[in-house]
Amino acid sequence: MTRVLLVDDHPVVLRGLASLIASDDGLALVGAAGSVAEAIALDGKPEVAVVDLHLPDGDGINLGIVLKARWPELRVLILTMNADSNSVVRSLGAGLDGYILKDADPEELLSAIHSAATGSLVLGRGASEAVVRATASAPRTDVLGVLDAREMEILGLLVDGLSTSQVASRLFLAPKTILNRVSDIVGKLGVDNRAEAIALGKTAGLGAK
Amino acid sequence: MASTPPASSGIPIGVVAAAVATGVGFLPGINAFDGPVTAGELQALGWPPLGVVAALILDRDSRSRLGWVLAALAVLPFAVVVVALLSPLRGSLESRVEDVWEAMGVVPLLAAVAVISWALGLASDRLSRRRMTWFLGWVGVVVAVVVVSIQSGGLKAAAVATMLGLWWLAATLALLATARELRPVDEPLVEAVCVGAALVVGGAAGVLMRWSGQQGNVPGPEVTGAIVAAIVCALVIPVSWWARNRHLERRYGKGSLAPEDVAAITADLRSQADPRALLSKSAAMVVAASGHRDAAIVLGAEEAEQPEHWVVYPLVVAGERVGTLAVDPLHPEGPEPRQARIVDQMTPTLALVARAVTLAVQAEHSRQDVSRERDDERSRVLGDLHDGIGPLLAGLGMRVQARARSDPSDWLNDLAEDLADVRGELRRVVSGLTPSALDDGDLSDALQQLVASFRAGGANVHLSLGLTAVPPRHASVAVYRFVAEGVTNAIRHADAKQITVIVRDRASAIEAEVVDDGIGGVRTLGVGLTSLRRRAEDLGGTFRIEVAEPQGTRLCLALPAGEAA
């Protein structure tokens, strides 16, 4: 009998997981918690912990590390809705034992718990794709989301290597107006100066017409 | 002198003084209206009009040097009478005054010219240079006439010439002192030469005709000659006037927009997507019409810094400053009056153009902002859907599965399968319609992931990627959705065995195709494809549905690659 600890703040998921484990003869539920605090307060020496990535009072990966420190034999599976590559890489880097999606097939969940108990690394279907994707680092255009179209246009021209006066004449605006907008852009992007804003725009794939 | 008069307080001393001077100056000449006119009286009548001009000038600026000098000159005839009274000359007062005037000759005129020139002053600006040139030009004419009349006509003729000359100079001074802008002095000379040349040519033709008529004994050779002269003159005047216009055109530009200029300037306007192209076109039209070296239009309420000699015209619509027109005049001291008039005529239209362009640019920016906000909002809503409904479905699925394991029944197994389908559908909807897959990677990664998820569902999908650069985010989102919708459509409705997805970038466009070998035929667009079409049009692209060979359907999307928003 593998002793299982469940940590998930979503009551429907927690209930589902609990009944799933109850239905498996090889598994025994030793505790169910809805938060980091409750999980730490639990006792019962579990062998496998299934931990939600996002908990109301903390992060599932950190909780996994804490629980592993307490019971070195413990295997920790991270459970989440999203195949978010950063979290996958982070949880594996933290020495946790696997990653599985909540909306995976219930049988898949059970077999993941069983394989974790035997000591193998578990990567859910969505999660393994996330690992692949994480190795190909890709630029995010999202960081420029704070800019409006007018500012994006100016930043795009600056990324293309135009000077302030060239941008001004291209856009039929006064150089002073461009300088004001550039300082707005620098402020909105939270960078220190114009060069950093241009570098950020370049990374985000602006310009290059 | 051309400045606005200062607010007058009390009695305008300058004007009163000038009026008094005029009256006093007229006293010696009044005799001329009674009995025979003498040369002295004629001389005396020439000066008082300068006092009238003085009043005009002093009314504008009571401290004007020119005004006081002219007022003083108006009193000259009275001073001559006083000098005659005090002089040791003999005879009646009239004859003594006459003698004084005769003794002085053209000296008073020349002295007056010298004093007036000094009073006019020669500042370094264009206006005062032209004022002085015009004045001295007319002085030259008047003095020449007076000298010639002294030589040829004697005292009385000289007096008449002096009187008329002084009146003419007075009228000229009144004009020069009050004008805000003066034409260059050579312009009327060119005009006079043009007219004169026509007259000379016409006259010569007439003389020639008369001579040949006399030789050939044609009756009435004078009449024939006159008619020929008139006809030739009438024919030559338009030609010489055309030459004069060419001369002015070279100097000041055309003064109007010729159709061929407009055609040349606006030739490539159709292919310009950016409304701001209109501004450079408008500036080019200003240059073509006004003959300025260069012109530029800048949008916005603030005045841009311009090179020093550029002249700035604010562009205002309904009291709101919408931009600035700046021109680079050929003349270092600014546009000639004629050019300024042309630009003044154009500025209201230019202001409307600037306003329209500003609005068009704002509209384009708003469209991009709204489009992006719509995407973000949709992502957020679908993300919420995923994170909210997803766990509920997962939990339910687990419980049903648990029950099915402990207490197996067909009914429970069916329910479990249906729940699995619902979870799959939710995943598909969310991953297909949100660009969240793009948040963590570029378009190529996201497409590979998407196609992999279709393959995992059992579809035979081939992906051909040919992206050399990272496309703009909104194009990436549109392409991603296009592929997701297109493949889903082919799987669901077309009964396709093989689906091929091609995404590549060309020099100016990103192209995406989804080709299936399904049942084909005319398909009504679902909500997904309809919104894709709208989206493609929003981004300035195209969306087509074609029949594929040998069977099936081809969906094509092309987006401009330059949309960096």
Side-chain angles (χ1 to χ4, degrees), chain B residues 103-320:
Chain B
M104 290 191 297
V106 293
V107 172
L109 182 60
L110 294 178
V113 165
V115 179
I116 292 173
S117 303
W118 166 76
L120 264 178
L122 186 57
S124 62
D125 64 300
R126 183 170 63 184
L127 184 60
S128 38
R129 272 204 313 277
R130 286 191 182 160
R131 194 181 280 140
M132 187 58 87
T133 313
W134 276 101
F135 175 67
L136 292 181
W138 282 120
V139 163
V141 171
V142 167
V143 169
V145 167
V146 168
V147 168
V148 167
S149 58
I150 287 173
Q151 297 299 317
S152 57
L155 259 186
K156 208 153 183 178
V160 170
T162 309
M163 180 186 77
L164 293 177
L166 280 169
W167 288 1
W168 182 253
L169 287 183
T172 306
L173 278 170
L175 273 177
L176 293 181
T178 53
R180 283 168 192 276
E181 279 288 352
L182 291 170
R183 302 165 77 192
V185 77
D186 60 340
E187 269 181 38
L189 285 182
V190 168
E191 282 159 18
V193 166
C194 286
V195 175
L199 292 175
V200 166
V201 171
V207 167
L208 200 66
M209 191 63 214
R210 176 165 164 266
W211 175 78
S212 64
Q214 278 166 343
Q215 297 299 309
N217 280 328
V218 176
E222 282 81 9
V223 179
T224 326
I227 291 174
V228 167
I231 291 173
V232 170
C233 199
L235 289 177
V236 172
I237 279 186
V239 176
S240 65
W241 208 247
W242 171 83
R244 172 251 186 201
N245 285 344
R246 284 304 305 271
H247 168 72
L248 291 182
E249 210 174 273
R250 258 214 308 282
R251 181 180 280 183
Y252 302 128
K254 291 207 168 92
S256 62
L257 276 172
E260 61 269 22
D261 285 338
V262 175
I265 292 169
T266 57
D268 61 338
L269 199 53
R270 242 171 241 266
S271 59
Q272 302 270 353
D274 191 343
R276 285 178 277 224
L278 263 180
L279 298 177
S280 58
K281 303 291 179 195
S282 306
M285 287 188 191
V286 171
V287 170
S290 65
H292 286 306
R293 192 182 292 127
D294 197 4
I297 297 177
V298 171
L299 296 178
E302 307 119 37
E303 194 157 295
E305 284 171 25
Q306 301 288 351
E308 203 173 316
H309 60 283
W310 284 56
V311 179
V312 163
Y313 295 79
L315 300 176
V316 176
V317 176
E320 186 196 347

Side-chain angles (χ1 to χ4, degrees), chain A residues 107 147 149 152-153 172 177, chain B residues 276 299 302 369 372 401:
Chain A
E107 291 294 337
L147 303 183
M152 208 89 92
E153 185 175 39
F172 294 87
T177 312
Chain B
R276 285 178 277 224
L299 296 178
E302 307 119 37
D369 284 341
R372 203 182 52 209
Q401 185 67 27

